[in-house]
Amino acid sequence: MALRFVQVNFNASDPSRLGRFWADALGWEVTNDDSYEVNLEPAGFTYPEPSALVIDLVPVDDPKTVKNRVHLDLASHSPEHYAETVRRLEELGATRADVGQRGDETWTVLADPEGNEFCVLEPREAYQGTGPIAAVAIDCADPVAQARFWSEATDWKVLDADEDGARLHSSAGVGPYVEFIPTPDEKAVKNRVHFDLRPYPGDDQAAEADRLRALGATDADVGQKDEPWIVLADPEGNEFCILTAK
């Protein structure tokens, strides 16, 4: 039994507007836009497959108040593409963001129109085949323990893990990475960006939730009512959803 990372979920004050920004930023398509959610996918994508983690945006009333613990890292292919990507994103409405960086980093920290921080990375060999999203990065206290939990929760492999950080990649070796970044900051509020996971066809959603609880996940209350998904939190309190099998 294993779960699949299938999408990154953004809480948004204006999902349509934010969805248009991210669709333009990534070169993806808006495949659904209604009062309930906005969905973004690469052109020609067959959901769900590991070559991409698609984006789902849902409306919320609460405003963003602190730096997100989960953010996207965007890939670039050359110094020219890196500079052009930063310029283009700023033209789309991104702004420079201060997350405590020293100023000598080789990447650029931006924020989308609702203040969600993200990074544009300088060209790196490891990210050349990931697509526009190089990685989904998660702040944490213990990268090794977090990588172990998420690898056991899913079928993704730990590529490296130590106190300086950890990385997971799909068992198919394609698509973006999931990375755990050590930080002294403690989680204070519900994450505005989180993972949605799905069981494989034929696997049982409730059984998967029980399996993750045995690994250290806990039930989480984010105001859900009778939705068909199960909301849990990982051992460091990061919320995620287990969707039905598909």
Side-chain angles (χ1 to χ4, degrees):
M1 298 174 68
L3 291 166
R4 296 170 288 171
F5 289 110
V6 292
Q7 60 201 34
V8 181
N9 187 297
F10 279 69
N11 290 176
S13 298
D14 188 338
S16 292
R17 176 171 178 260
L18 192 60
R20 287 193 299 271
F21 168 84
W22 278 109
D24 291 341
L26 300 173
W28 287 7
E29 297 178 342
V30 178
T31 58
N32 178 71
D33 186 347
D34 58 34
S35 61
Y36 181 70
E37 64 182 352
V38 176
N39 305 112
L40 312 179
E41 295 182 358
F45 182 75
T46 301
Y47 177 91
E49 60 179 46
S51 62
L53 295 178
V54 301
I55 291 178
D56 186 44
L57 303 101
V58 297
V60 296
D61 294 327
D62 51 306
K64 183 177 183 294
T65 57
V66 300
K67 179 178 76 71
N68 288 347
R69 294 184 67 82
V70 182
H71 72 266
L72 302 184
D73 287 340
L74 304 189
S76 65
H77 312 308
S78 67
E80 295 76 17
H81 181 240
Y82 168 73
E84 169 60 19
T85 298
V86 173
R87 183 196 64 78
R88 184 174 59 84
L89 290 167
E90 290 182 315
E91 289 182 350
L92 290 173
T95 54
R96 302 279 173 146
D98 181 359
V99 294
Q101 64 267 39
R102 299 184 305 273
D104 58 352
E105 290 83 3
T106 53
W107 58 89
T108 300
V109 184
L110 299 174
D112 70 19
E114 291 202 5
N116 299 297
E117 303 85 2
F118 65 97
C119 297
V120 180
L121 305 181
E122 77 287 359
R124 301 184 190 181
E125 182 63 31
Y127 302 135
Q128 291 306 299
T130 61
I133 300 176
V136 182
I138 305 171
D139 290 351
C140 65
D142 189 337
V144 175
Q146 283 289 85
R148 183 183 307 115
F149 168 83
W150 282 103
S151 178
E152 292 176 350
T154 66
D155 58 357
W156 284 38
K157 298 178 180 179
V158 180
L159 298 186
D160 44 63
D162 58 35
E163 62 183 11
D164 294 323
R167 291 193 303 158
L168 303 182
H169 206 202
S170 75
S171 56
V174 297
Y177 294 80
V178 170
E179 300 186 345
F180 302 94
I181 312 300
T183 175
D185 301 332
E186 295 184 358
K187 184 176 183 291
V189 299
K190 175 177 71 72
N191 288 347
R192 292 183 72 83
V193 182
H194 68 263
F195 285 117
D196 288 340
L197 298 91
R198 281 193 189 275
Y200 279 92
D203 286 347
D204 184 75
Q205 179 193 37
E208 283 293 323
D210 286 341
R211 184 176 67 85
L212 268 60
R213 292 184 185 100
L215 294 174
T218 55
D219 290 284
D221 182 358
V222 295
Q224 68 272 24
K225 297 178 182 177
D226 56 352
E227 289 84 1
W229 54 83
I230 298 171
V231 184
L232 299 177
D234 72 15
E236 292 201 8
N238 298 298
E239 302 87 1
F240 63 93
C241 296
I242 302 178
L243 309 180
T244 56
K246 184 175 182 178

